[in-house]
Amino acid sequence: RAMPSEQPTMRERQAEFTRNEILLAARRLFADRGFTQTSVRDIARAAGVSAQTVYDSIGSKQAVVARLNDLIDSEAGIGAIVGPIAASGDPRQVAALSARITRSMLENCEDIVRALVTGAAAEPELQVVLDEGHRRHVEGARTVVRMLQDMEALAHPADAATSETLAAITDIRFALVLRESYGWSLDRIEVWMTAASHDLLLR
């Protein structure tokens, strides 16, 4: 008897493609129109599918929104950034990791991040997405501090405040303030966040 294949079937690949198209359509519409002004029917039309397909593939509009953090992580290429830096063994690269990720999120997802930040006050579903993104960001900062601790590269013994401070100075909402209120470029934001991270963390 043949062993079952590990490869996804054509139907599974098609289903995954459809889910991705729906999420990308939702992401564009949420960024352009806002969450409230976007219906499941709008998302379906933009994705080239029926509204029922949206419900079958992902679920309600709230379920679509709940997947936005994964989509942002994917568009920002976070996995591709983290892997090589984690493997580098270079404390300066590791210390700059949070700044690098924030820059990539701003570069690739600024429109949807801004839509989430501005819409969260009025829409509890968007606040949930922001809260989850913040949790991931703080956990990423903790991981950076742990990695530097293991490399014996920290300037001072780490405590909870170390990770929180790193998370604060590389927060995407802070980056948006630097962009909008001070007119900083992406390069300037990343350079400043990197220097502040080095000053905070390294010997």
Side-chain angles (χ1 to χ4, degrees):
R1 246 174 106 177
M3 295 292 289
S5 171
E6 295 284 329
Q7 295 295 319
T9 64
M10 178 68 78
R11 179 171 293 185
E12 287 167 341
R13 285 199 298 271
Q14 182 61 45
E16 181 64 22
F17 176 80
T18 300
R19 277 193 295 274
N20 287 339
E21 288 298 300
I22 291 167
L23 283 171
L24 287 169
R27 174 229 188 285
R28 288 192 299 271
L29 290 171
F30 291 152
D32 290 345
R33 299 183 185 179
F35 174 77
T36 308
Q37 301 303 318
T38 301
S39 67
V40 168
R41 194 179 299 278
D42 295 331
I43 295 168
R45 192 179 301 116
V49 300
S50 68
Q52 190 59 49
T53 298
V54 175
Y55 288 114
D56 291 343
S57 297
I58 297 178
S60 65
K61 188 166 76 163
Q62 286 74 19
V64 173
V65 170
R67 295 203 183 199
L68 284 177
N69 276 308
D70 291 337
L71 183 65
I72 289 168
D73 287 355
S74 173
E75 287 200 352
I78 288 177
I81 293 169
V82 171
I85 290 178
S88 72
D90 180 346
R92 293 185 68 78
Q93 284 195 50
V94 172
L97 181 55
S98 295
R100 180 74 196 87
I101 288 172
T102 295
R103 189 255 168 79
S104 186
M105 287 176 63
L106 207 56
E107 194 163 24
N108 295 285
C109 314
E110 182 175 351
D111 56 345
I112 188 61
V113 170
R114 184 182 282 109
L116 286 170
V117 170
T118 56
E123 299 293 340
E125 292 91 345
L126 300 187
Q127 187 61 54
V128 169
V129 177
L130 267 191
D131 290 345
E132 169 60 14
H134 180 67
R135 186 197 66 76
R136 295 184 188 192
H137 177 63
V138 172
E139 186 51 46
R142 288 196 189 105
T143 300
V144 166
V145 171
R146 280 197 299 269
M147 288 168 65
L148 292 171
Q149 210 164 14
D150 291 344
M151 299 164 86
E152 299 183 347
L154 284 174
H156 307 286
D159 57 18
T162 308
S163 300
E164 287 175 4
T165 305
L166 176 62
I169 61 179
T170 58
D171 194 296
I172 189 72
R173 288 165 292 194
F174 179 42
L176 282 174
V177 170
L178 294 175
R179 284 282 274 170
E180 294 169 356
S181 299
Y182 296 91
W184 285 25
S185 67
L186 291 174
D187 287 345
R188 187 175 179 187
I189 291 170
E190 184 180 7
V191 166
W192 184 89
M193 288 184 170
T194 297
S197 299
H198 286 164
D199 289 345
L200 171 70
L201 298 170
L202 298 180
R203 295 178 186 279

